[in-house]
Amino acid sequence: MLTGIQVVLAGGDARQLEVIRRLTELDASVTLVGFDRLDTSFNGVVKAEWAPELMRHADALVLPVVGTDDDGIISALFTDLELKLTDAHLSIAPKKCKVITGMANSYLKTLCAKHELELVELFERDDVAIYNSIPTAEGALMMAIQNTDITIHGSNCMVLGLGRTGFTMARTLQALGANVKAGVRRDESYARAYEMGFFPFYMPDLARYAGNIDLIFNTIPTMIVTAQVIAQLPLRACIIDLASKPGGTDFRFAEKRGIKALLAPGLPGIVAPRTAGRIIANCLTQIIMDDTQLRGNQV
Ligand code: NAP
């Protein structure tokens, strides 16, 4: 339980509703900032304005999955007010206060380091990335279905990168009856792909295998689907780039060749905000509970 734990939750979208729900179930004291347009009420939760004083007794500051922008602005779907995370907020926070977000930019990292506050980036964790790969693969599948005139079953698909997202993507396509080629760079990934019944190849051979492909799902966050690769693709092919912005596709050349190429960021929050919220909520509350227990043991 989180009885007596003070959590300030600032900004965010529908995913944070699951976080609020979970925190209140565990009896944490939750202060919401940037939720003035939210109609749902939660027992024991108070809404407040974004004043530095709020942070004085906070055990955790929970930010949206994207943290802040480069100027410290916290995105907040449920308010028209601007929330900015500043020195004033973090300088007042006790040293035990954790700042929890999905991913942090240099603004947030620098601010937390300056005030010696621990910054937790949930999306850096393997467990969160693997759970998140489920709604990501479903979202990518939705885009594939919307942007092709063939079934996934029997289609020739290529998944680039067999990491946490790539494995789930490849397995999901395979389960629907697609022929799945998997582009890897390590021998052990090649062996695993073979064992799982995919057709593995090494990335330098990508262009050679591109000739008969209906769908490419890229998860490699570097320029990988180059003009040279796109030149080999049939015109019916569709590229769905899942890698973080700017993706790994030469979108300019794809457009020039008339090949559909779509950058698809943030799919979990788009196709399954409640599940995505639950994934964040479970991990985040576990981190706060472990921390509380650790501090309790140290007293
Ligand atoms: P990951 O587990 O690190 O997987 C990335 C894969 O890319 C690994 O298999 C890695 O190979 C491979 N790779 C990296 N650089 C490479 C290179 N230069 N050449 C060949 N292979 C390379 O990451 P992840 O969690 O699956 O996430 C993948 C990307 O998807 C990230 O950019 C992430 O931000 C993004 N993402 C997007 C969504 C969305 O909604 N669109 C959702 C979740 C994640 P090794 O295994 O050999 O290192």
Side-chain angles (χ1 to χ4, degrees):
M1 295 297 282
L2 293 174
T3 310
I5 297 298
Q6 309 265 345
V7 180
V8 175
L9 195 145
D13 53 30
R15 284 172 280 188
Q16 298 306 68
L17 304 184
E18 287 302 315
V19 177
I20 301 167
R21 210 182 312 278
R22 187 86 184 108
L23 285 167
T24 51
E25 275 169 13
L26 291 167
D27 198 30
S29 302
V30 183
T31 304
L32 297 184
V33 184
F35 285 86
D36 40 276
R37 281 201 278 106
L38 177 69
D39 292 333
T40 322
S41 65
F42 295 93
N43 274 346
V45 167
V46 292
K47 290 182 186 173
E49 287 185 13
W50 188 220
E53 188 55 31
L54 276 186
M55 294 299 301
R56 188 175 292 283
H57 301 293
D59 293 289
L61 169 64
V62 177
L63 295 172
V65 294
V66 290
T68 69
D69 72 7
D70 293 340
D71 298 317
I73 306 298
I74 302 167
S75 78
L77 192 72
F78 297 104
T79 185
D80 295 324
L81 302 172
E82 185 177 90
L83 309 178
K84 180 168 173 148
L85 183 66
T86 63
D87 273 318
H89 295 93
L90 294 196
S91 63
I92 213 168
K95 290 287 171 259
K96 63 175 183 184
C97 177
K98 280 181 187 305
V99 178
I100 306 177
T101 183
M103 47 201 168
N105 58 6
S106 58
Y107 179 94
L108 186 54
K109 286 181 182 165
T110 307
L111 204 61
C112 289
K114 182 174 171 191
H115 297 286
E116 296 171 23
L117 297 178
E118 186 186 342
L119 175 64
V120 180
E121 289 182 78
L122 296 173
F123 289 178
E124 292 274 293
R125 291 172 54 109
D126 272 343
D127 56 351
V128 174
I130 292 168
Y131 286 126
N132 250 336
S133 72
I134 302 167
T136 304
E138 288 191 14
L141 207 54
M142 176 192 79
M143 293 183 72
I145 291 167
Q146 284 172 342
N147 286 283
T148 53
D149 54 6
I150 55 168
T151 56
I152 301 294
H153 186 278
S155 66
N156 293 319
C157 294
M158 195 177 245
V159 176
L160 305 179
L162 279 190
R164 297 164 302 191
T165 308
F167 261 120
T168 309
M169 190 72 243
R171 211 183 43 71
T172 304
L173 293 165
Q174 186 186 48
L176 283 175
N179 307 307
V180 183
K181 288 190 169 72
V184 298
R185 63 176 169 183
R186 287 184 293 123
D187 295 340
E188 48 274 47
S189 305
Y190 190 103
R192 179 59 71 194
Y194 173 81
E195 175 276 323
M196 291 183 74
F198 310 138
F199 180 91
F201 65 90
Y202 288 105
M203 289 307 296
D205 297 328
L206 173 55
R208 200 150 63 79
Y209 288 108
N212 190 28
I213 291 298
D214 299 306
L215 282 154
I216 295 189
F217 298 87
N218 176 49
T219 73
I220 301 176
T222 186
M223 178 50 69
I224 211 90
V225 188
T226 58
Q228 193 201 0
V229 174
I230 294 168
Q232 301 304 316
L233 287 170
L235 285 177
R236 66 173 191 277
C238 175
I239 304 165
I240 297 176
D241 201 330
L242 301 171
S244 50
K245 280 181 190 165
T249 303
D250 187 337
F251 289 99
R252 189 201 60 83
F253 188 72
E255 190 178 357
K256 192 171 169 198
R257 256 213 90 202
I259 285 183
K260 227 182 248 181
L262 310 158
L263 185 62
L267 287 174
I270 296 168
V271 299
R274 193 175 329 162
T275 305
R278 236 179 259 155
I279 293 167
I280 295 165
N282 288 342
C283 180
L284 180 149
T285 47
Q286 192 59 51
I287 288 171
I288 301 176
M289 269 196 283
D290 289 349
D291 193 47
T292 311
Q293 207 166 17
L294 188 72
R295 274 193 274 132
N297 290 342
Q298 283 168 350
V299 173

